[in-house]
Amino acid sequence: MGVQAVFLDRDGTINVEKHYLHRIEEFEFLPDALHALRLLKEAGFRLILVTNQSGIARGYYTEEDLARLHAWMRQALREQGIELDGVYYCPHHPEAAVPAYRKDCMCRKPGLGLFERAILEHEIDLSRSFCVGDKLRDCALCASTSCRGFLIGENETDEILRRVKDGKIERVQWAKNLLECAEKIRGLTACREREENA
């Protein structure tokens, strides 16, 4: 049996969404995000960050800038007792200003390339795992696998929010924020464990 994991989007999910964020001094964790991540860790989940970073393709910042930010972020989380088990990002965009990153790739969400890489590298059991993000593309893996997802917040279109809240998108639920999502995931996991041990 593989491990259970939560695939997490970054901007708007863990930290405050800012315009092509890449400076450490502008990074700001969302309220209760640290508590939420700690709850997921305590429940035995691997935490896997999966993020589109088209700002690289647009020439706003470099992969080196992003590496510095992610190293700082991981250390800030470590100091709170939270370890990110994997960080995966896509630097591409089909209309990139930087030619080297102009690519219609499979790693840019809703493409599944980064998810597939993480699944292999961490031996993840999708039937026991979740995708979480503030955009439906963050839950793209749920459309074709047994992974379940949570759309959080109000950053999607009204139509998509309505469909998710009404249960019209299979295997994707809604939560108001990451903390509510973490609590729901813990509840679903506990319920599953009771059923398996019955």
Side-chain angles (χ1 to χ4, degrees):
M1 181 184 292
V3 301
Q4 58 184 12
V6 177
F7 299 96
L8 293 150
D9 177 47
R10 196 191 78 181
D11 301 314
T13 300
I14 293 175
N15 57 276
V16 176
E17 175 99 42
K18 295 182 181 177
H19 186 68
Y20 296 107
L21 173 67
H22 62 282
R23 294 187 179 90
I24 291 169
E25 62 269 23
E26 294 179 357
F27 190 99
E28 182 183 353
F29 285 108
L30 282 163
D32 296 323
L34 296 175
H35 182 40
L37 295 174
R38 200 174 291 112
L39 287 178
L40 293 171
K41 266 296 183 184
E42 290 170 356
F45 286 95
R46 296 262 180 103
L47 301 182
I48 310 292
L49 191 74
V50 180
T51 175
N52 288 346
Q53 291 295 319
S54 70
I56 295 168
R58 299 173 193 274
Y60 296 146
Y61 52 94
T62 66
E63 289 195 71
E64 290 73 24
D65 293 329
L66 183 67
R68 278 191 292 273
L69 178 64
H70 281 169
W72 175 88
M73 179 187 69
R74 294 182 89 161
Q75 183 57 34
L77 289 170
R78 259 183 224 115
E79 290 170 3
Q80 297 295 321
I82 302 159
E83 185 71 39
L84 283 181
D85 297 280
V87 174
Y88 299 83
Y89 69 91
C90 171
H92 307 120
H93 193 277
E95 299 171 5
V98 181
Y101 295 107
R102 190 177 301 137
K103 184 178 178 183
D104 192 3
C105 65
M106 285 305 297
C107 60
R108 178 175 166 79
K109 295 183 289 185
L112 301 182
L114 295 181
F115 292 107
E116 291 168 350
R117 186 174 142 206
I119 291 162
L120 287 173
E121 291 180 357
H122 296 272
E123 299 181 339
I124 293 168
D125 180 351
L126 290 179
S127 69
R128 300 167 63 220
S129 298
F130 297 84
C131 290
V132 178
D134 65 324
K135 299 288 174 57
L136 189 60
R137 67 185 177 212
D138 301 319
C139 300
L141 187 62
C142 305
S144 58
T145 72
S146 57
C147 189
R148 288 168 288 175
F150 278 90
L151 177 66
I152 65 171
E154 303 282 346
N155 290 341
E156 260 294 3
T157 65
D158 290 343
E159 172 63 20
I160 288 174
L161 284 168
R162 184 166 56 252
R163 288 175 64 206
V164 171
K165 290 178 180 180
D166 289 345
K168 298 289 178 62
I169 298 180
E170 193 173 359
R171 288 190 294 278
V172 178
Q173 301 180 45
W174 181 81
K176 66 182 178 182
N177 54 38
L178 188 57
L179 180 57
E180 182 178 286
C181 171
E183 290 168 342
K184 287 184 175 183
I185 287 174
R186 282 168 61 102
L188 289 168
T189 302
C191 183
R192 182 186 181 117
E193 288 172 353
R194 284 195 298 271
E195 291 172 355
E196 290 175 346
N197 296 327

